[in-house]
Amino acid sequence: MADVLSVIPASVLRNLSDKLYEKRKNAALEIEGIVRQLASSGDHEKISALINLLAMEFAYSPQANHRKGGLIGLAAATVGLTSEASQHLEQIVPPVLSSFSDQDSRVRYYACEALYNIAKVVRGDFIIFFNQIFNALCKLSADSDVNVQSAAHLLDRLVKDIVTECDQFSIEEFIPLLRERMNVLNPYVRQFLVGWITVLDSVPDIDMLGFLPDFLDGLFNMLSDSSREIRQQADSALSEFLQEIKNSPSVDYGRMTEILVQRAAAPDEFTRLTAITWINEFVKLGGDLLFPYYADILGAILPCISDKEEKIRVVARETNEALRAIEANPTENFDVGAVLSIARRQLDSEWEATRIEALNWISTLLNRYRAEVFCFLNDIFDTLLKALSDSSDEVVLRVLDIHASMAQDPLHFHQLVVFLMHNFRVDRSLLERRGAFIIRRLCVLLDAERVFRELSTILEGEADLDFACVMVQALNLILLTSSELSELRELLKQSLVNAAGKDLFISFYASWCHSPMAIISLCLLAQTYQHACDVIQSLVEEDINSKFLVQLDKLIRLLETPIFAYLRLQLLEPRRYIWLLKALYGLLMVLPQQSAAFKILRRRLKTVPSNSVNGDQLKRASSGIAYSQILHHSGSKITEDGDMDQDNGNLQNGIEFASLQQFKQMQQQHHMLAKSRAQLRDRSTSLSKDGPKSRTPTNSNIRDKEASFKMI
């Protein structure tokens, strides 16, 4: 210390800590001269002691003026050392860096000024302190003092110039610090960070693209900043990196894809648009390299298809199609199960467009990787069944297409119909709203006869009689009205003359017995008119209720449609179709006279030529001759209404109905169920009125019973 004091006059040390800047400046100039002389004589030991004095006694002093003098003195010493300053940087720079966090804003300002002068002298030699300098500048960029901010900006520009021309800069050591700072929300710091990213990316020898995943998320985070300038700078930097990715032969898509997928769901529209744009480019550029991330990308795209922003929707749809065009091999890191899981999850989306595209993906996977999809069938089957209740017709159509594709296999076909019936049973509203729509579509996709036979077989053994009745009525209405079932109707019309028609009629008959109106309709369609008469005449009081009359009203109106044109034309030959005439009159007798259906049917029957009916035929129709006897007569084929065609060879096609036993037995089950329910209802009503007390006859009760007896 004594040696140093002998070199530096006491007046210089005194002025260096003076409160006046001019005195400190003059003292610094004298120190610069002293150091220059010592350097020229090679006395680095004294120089080191002098620097230590400036640091310990001044720069680290508790007095602000001393600290200011110490900073300007260290800068002067560096200037005096010129080219030899590098060997003393370990002593010079740390005190200056420490002053950046000084409580006094003027000290921080002089610290910036001192480091600026030091950096001008040593240039690239001070790069060993880059991370500490960067960290300090990062804090100073958001300093509360405007002058400090300005000084920091000047120092920042100089450091950037030095880094761009320096070949000793280590990007590997810098990236962890940058990654840590990218989550800062301060707008000044963000601006500072984007500036450094842009500068470093412009240096040819620095591979910022290789480290992009480390700070990509931070850049995307800045896209939603409240400052328009920061948003623009971040967007500009991202655009530049995306262009570099397009031109780069090797890119690490994996880590960046994970970031983009998260950012595609950001609340900010601009962030979502940028993220989905990047994903779009990745899909085009990456191709099979993206197989491991296929599911994640799809999970980001599907919600964006329904985004409220049109630009996002357009890009998302384009990306979706590009992704679907990539045909992957399950053995090449392509996880069919993961993609299926994403598509299944998106079926719960509130947006119709997303649900539709999710179904399109399931359909695509089913077509390309059928065996693999069937391995995950249990995971998606219930969800697909629930989707049949979707509010969108388009969604239901896509679901049915998928079910139909899976139902090409007999086992899955049966499973589909069973689950469908179960859904109709537990959710009657689904049957009412979508039943006809679903069944008609399945008939188109899977063959109408196959679908109806399977439904009929299941209904034949249905334990829930109420549901069976409702379901049969629904199927009957579909059968009679749907254009998709026209071929089935034509086949049923041939039931008496065609083995296939007969077999189809028989397969329907047992389940159709759940509903009297349905079996009558089926007989009219199949032209088994005599049996229709038998069913009508077997109706009892319990059968003819409001529901039956509603169904009958529908049938009467259907008889006036083109579907039953053949039946109306047959009325022109009442002698030939006497059982048809009797069946229609039977229906007329059941209808209330004031109903619209009664008037419609009566008007129709009035047009029947009355002089064409043969007395023998009427007598035979009234005599109740067994149906099987009518079908077999002297080796000739006689249709049920008595039309004789000699030697036509179709005797084996006659249908025997076992004297209505099957129909009566089924209806008896329905009657017993209705009766038991009525008794239970009456018992509940009685208990609710009387309470827990036992009932005892009163005079009024006895008088009421006597009065009712007299009325009877």
Side-chain angles (χ1 to χ4, degrees):
M1 179 68 69
D3 293 340
V4 176
L5 293 176
S6 65
V7 174
I8 305 177
S11 59
V12 173
L13 294 176
R14 187 170 54 254
N15 289 337
L16 193 62
S17 60
D18 197 275
K19 63 180 181 179
L20 295 176
Y21 172 73
E22 288 299 327
K23 288 186 177 182
R24 295 197 300 272
K25 181 180 179 181
N26 291 331
L29 290 174
E30 291 190 37
I31 290 174
E32 177 186 339
I34 294 169
V35 171
R36 185 174 285 110
Q37 290 178 358
L38 292 173
S40 62
S41 63
D43 196 348
H44 286 280
E45 185 176 343
K46 286 185 179 180
I47 294 175
S48 179
L50 187 150
I51 294 172
N52 186 61
L53 173 68
L54 293 174
M56 302 307 295
E57 299 298 327
F58 288 87
Y60 291 126
S61 172
Q63 298 182 23
N65 289 331
H66 279 67
R67 296 197 296 274
K68 296 174 188 176
L71 291 170
I72 196 171
L74 289 170
T78 306
V79 174
L81 285 167
T82 59
S83 61
E84 298 181 11
S86 59
Q87 57 184 304
H88 296 281
L89 285 179
E90 293 286 351
Q91 288 179 280
I92 296 172
V93 175
V96 179
L97 293 176
S98 177
S99 299
F100 281 139
S101 57
D102 197 283
Q103 293 182 352
D104 191 324
S105 61
R106 296 306 296 169
V107 174
R108 296 197 299 274
Y109 175 85
Y110 287 121
C112 293
E113 184 182 73
L115 191 59
Y116 181 89
N117 291 322
I118 293 169
K120 283 178 64 177
V121 174
V122 299
R123 304 296 291 184
D125 289 333
F126 95 131
I127 208 71
I128 58 174
F129 299 100
F130 176 79
N131 279 10
Q132 295 97 307
I133 294 171
F134 179 87
N135 195 37
L137 288 173
C138 188
K139 295 176 182 178
L140 291 175
S141 63
D143 198 278
S144 57
D145 189 282
V146 177
N147 293 324
V148 175
Q149 282 191 19
S150 299
H153 291 161
L154 287 173
L155 175 59
D156 180 54
R157 284 201 292 268
L158 176 61
V159 175
K160 285 176 181 174
D161 291 340
I162 294 171
V163 169
T164 55
E165 66 186 29
C166 178
D167 56 1
Q168 300 174 11
F169 177 73
S170 175
I171 186 66
E172 291 81 4
E173 295 179 5
F174 168 67
I175 288 297
L177 178 62
L178 176 63
R179 182 173 59 242
E180 179 185 341
R181 290 291 178 182
M182 289 301 289
N183 295 321
V184 176
L185 300 179
N186 187 283
Y188 297 106
V189 175
R190 283 183 162 184
Q191 206 165 10
F192 169 80
L193 294 172
V194 175
W196 266 101
I197 290 171
T198 304
V199 167
L200 293 176
D201 186 50
S202 65
V203 180
D205 295 334
I206 299 177
D207 181 23
M208 285 294 283
L209 184 60
F211 295 95
L212 180 58
D214 291 287
F215 55 87
L216 180 64
D217 189 61
L219 284 175
F220 268 94
N221 203 26
M222 295 179 190
L223 292 175
S224 58
D225 195 277
S226 57
S227 169
R228 184 169 179 268
E229 185 177 358
I230 293 174
R231 293 198 302 271
Q232 289 178 339
Q233 289 179 351
D235 181 51
S236 176
L238 286 168
S239 299
E240 184 63 32
F241 278 118
L242 185 57
Q243 188 60 44
E244 291 178 28
I245 290 173
K246 294 179 182 179
N247 300 329
S248 177
S250 177
V251 178
D252 178 14
Y253 291 104
R255 290 173 59 196
M256 288 190 286
T257 299
E258 295 173 2
I259 295 169
L260 296 175
V261 166
Q262 294 177 356
R263 289 297 171 180
D268 178 66
E269 291 181 7
F270 186 47
T271 303
R272 293 200 305 277
L273 177 59
T274 307
I276 204 69
T277 302
W278 273 61
I279 292 175
N280 182 37
E281 293 296 339
F282 275 26
V283 170
K284 294 176 182 177
L285 298 169
D288 54 3
L289 295 175
L290 295 174
F291 286 164
Y293 315 102
Y294 216 97
D296 293 336
I297 293 174
L298 182 62
I301 293 172
L302 291 179
C304 290
I305 287 175
S306 303
D307 199 279
K308 60 183 179 181
E309 179 64 39
E310 184 180 0
K311 292 180 180 178
I312 297 176
R313 294 198 302 270
V314 171
V315 179
R317 288 191 175 279
E318 180 184 335
T319 309
N320 185 56
E321 294 305 318
L323 189 65
R324 187 157 37 218
I326 303 174
E327 294 198 22
N329 189 326
T331 61
E332 299 176 353
N333 295 323
F334 178 67
D335 191 344
V336 175
V339 179
L340 264 180
S341 178
I342 291 293
R344 178 185 59 79
R345 200 179 308 149
Q346 292 300 326
L347 289 180
D348 294 328
S349 170
E350 61 178 311
W351 306 109
E352 178 186 1
T354 294
R355 298 196 301 275
I356 289 173
E357 283 305 321
L359 290 167
N360 286 341
W361 269 99
I362 295 176
S363 180
T364 299
L365 293 173
L366 188 60
N367 293 333
R368 292 180 184 174
Y369 318 106
R370 189 175 186 84
E372 289 79 5
V373 170
F374 271 90
C375 293
F376 301 97
L377 190 59
N378 291 335
D379 297 334
I380 64 172
F381 196 79
D382 287 344
T383 305
L384 288 173
L385 283 173
K386 291 177 184 176
L388 291 173
S389 304
D390 197 277
S391 59
S392 165
D393 287 346
E394 184 67 22
V395 169
V396 176
L397 281 174
R398 302 297 173 91
V399 174
L400 290 172
D401 288 344
I402 293 171
H403 277 303
S405 179
M406 292 190 295
Q408 293 173 7
D409 176 73
L411 176 62
H412 291 103
F413 172 73
H414 176 72
Q415 188 180 11
L416 167 63
V417 179
V418 168
F419 272 91
L420 190 60
M421 292 289 283
H422 172 73
N423 277 16
F424 286 153
R425 187 184 303 107
V426 298
D427 185 5
R428 298 290 176 88
S429 63
L430 174 63
L431 177 60
E432 294 172 5
R433 292 183 292 105
R434 288 283 170 74
F437 178 72
I438 291 171
I439 293 170
R440 288 172 61 185
R441 184 61 181 171
L442 286 177
C443 287
V444 172
L445 298 170
L446 292 173
D447 178 59
E449 182 176 346
R450 183 187 179 197
V451 172
F452 262 71
R453 279 181 180 271
E454 188 71 23
L455 288 168
S456 179
T457 301
I458 295 173
L459 284 170
E460 188 176 345
E462 176 60 48
D464 187 342
L465 297 180
D466 285 342
F467 168 70
C469 182
V470 172
M471 191 70 203
V472 165
Q473 290 171 0
L475 291 176
N476 185 63
L477 188 61
I478 296 170
L479 176 64
L480 295 178
T481 59
S482 299
S483 59
E484 295 88 348
L485 278 77
S486 59
E487 294 183 5
L488 210 58
R489 289 194 293 270
E490 290 301 318
L491 187 57
L492 283 169
K493 290 176 186 177
Q494 305 297 318
S495 296
L496 295 174
V497 295
N498 182 288
K502 169 189 171 182
D503 182 62
L504 183 61
F505 179 88
I506 293 173
S507 70
F508 287 178
Y509 186 84
S511 56
W512 256 243
C513 284
H514 281 289
S515 169
M517 202 65 254
I519 203 68
I520 293 170
S521 303
L522 182 65
C523 289
L524 292 178
L525 183 63
Q527 303 186 61
T528 56
Y529 300 133
Q530 183 186 357
H531 190 62
C533 287
D534 293 340
V535 172
I536 294 169
Q537 289 179 330
S538 72
L539 296 175
V540 295
E541 181 180 348
E542 290 91 337
D543 295 321
I544 306 174
N545 51 34
S546 59
K547 293 181 180 179
F548 174 85
L549 293 175
V550 169
Q551 294 292 320
L552 180 54
D553 183 273
K554 291 180 181 179
L555 176 61
I556 298 304
R557 295 177 189 277
L558 281 173
L559 292 177
E560 297 297 316
T561 64
I563 292 173
F564 283 101
Y566 71 93
L567 183 147
R568 299 196 299 274
L569 292 173
Q570 288 172 352
L571 291 175
L572 295 173
E573 303 176 80
R575 291 173 56 187
R576 183 178 178 188
Y577 297 101
I578 190 69
W579 290 108
L580 169 60
L581 194 61
K582 185 175 180 180
L584 294 179
Y585 269 108
L587 294 177
L588 187 67
M589 294 303 106
V590 173
L591 285 165
Q593 292 189 44
Q594 298 304 317
S595 65
F598 178 89
K599 297 173 183 177
I600 293 171
L601 183 55
R602 186 177 61 174
R603 263 197 315 269
R604 175 61 63 185
L605 290 173
K606 281 183 178 180
T607 63
V608 177
S610 58
N611 59 354
S612 303
V613 182
N614 186 298
D616 291 337
Q617 286 180 307
L618 285 172
K619 182 178 179 182
R620 185 175 63 186
S622 306
S623 65
I625 298 174
Y627 187 41
S628 58
Q629 295 177 15
I630 295 175
L631 292 176
H632 300 80
H633 179 72
S634 304
S636 301
K637 172 67 174 68
I638 306 176
T639 66
E640 73 168 333
D641 276 323
D643 185 27
M644 298 183 63
D645 299 321
Q646 298 293 331
D647 300 323
N648 58 14
N650 287 325
L651 288 174
Q652 71 275 15
N653 290 327
I655 304 173
E656 297 186 15
F657 293 94
S659 302
L660 285 175
Q661 286 304 310
Q662 192 173 14
F663 173 72
K664 288 182 176 180
Q665 289 173 2
M666 182 61 73
Q667 287 305 304
Q668 183 64 25
Q669 294 181 38
H670 282 271
H671 296 160
M672 290 175 64
L673 177 63
K675 185 176 180 180
S676 65
R677 285 180 175 170
Q679 290 175 347
L680 182 62
R681 187 167 54 251
D682 292 343
R683 189 179 300 114
S684 300
T685 304
S686 176
L687 289 173
S688 64
K689 288 182 178 179
D690 297 336
K693 298 180 180 179
S694 60
R695 296 191 61 185
T696 57
T698 62
N699 291 335
S700 60
N701 294 145
I702 295 171
R703 284 196 299 271
D704 291 342
K705 290 182 179 179
E706 289 175 349
S708 62
F709 181 78
K710 289 176 182 178
M711 290 177 66
I712 294 173

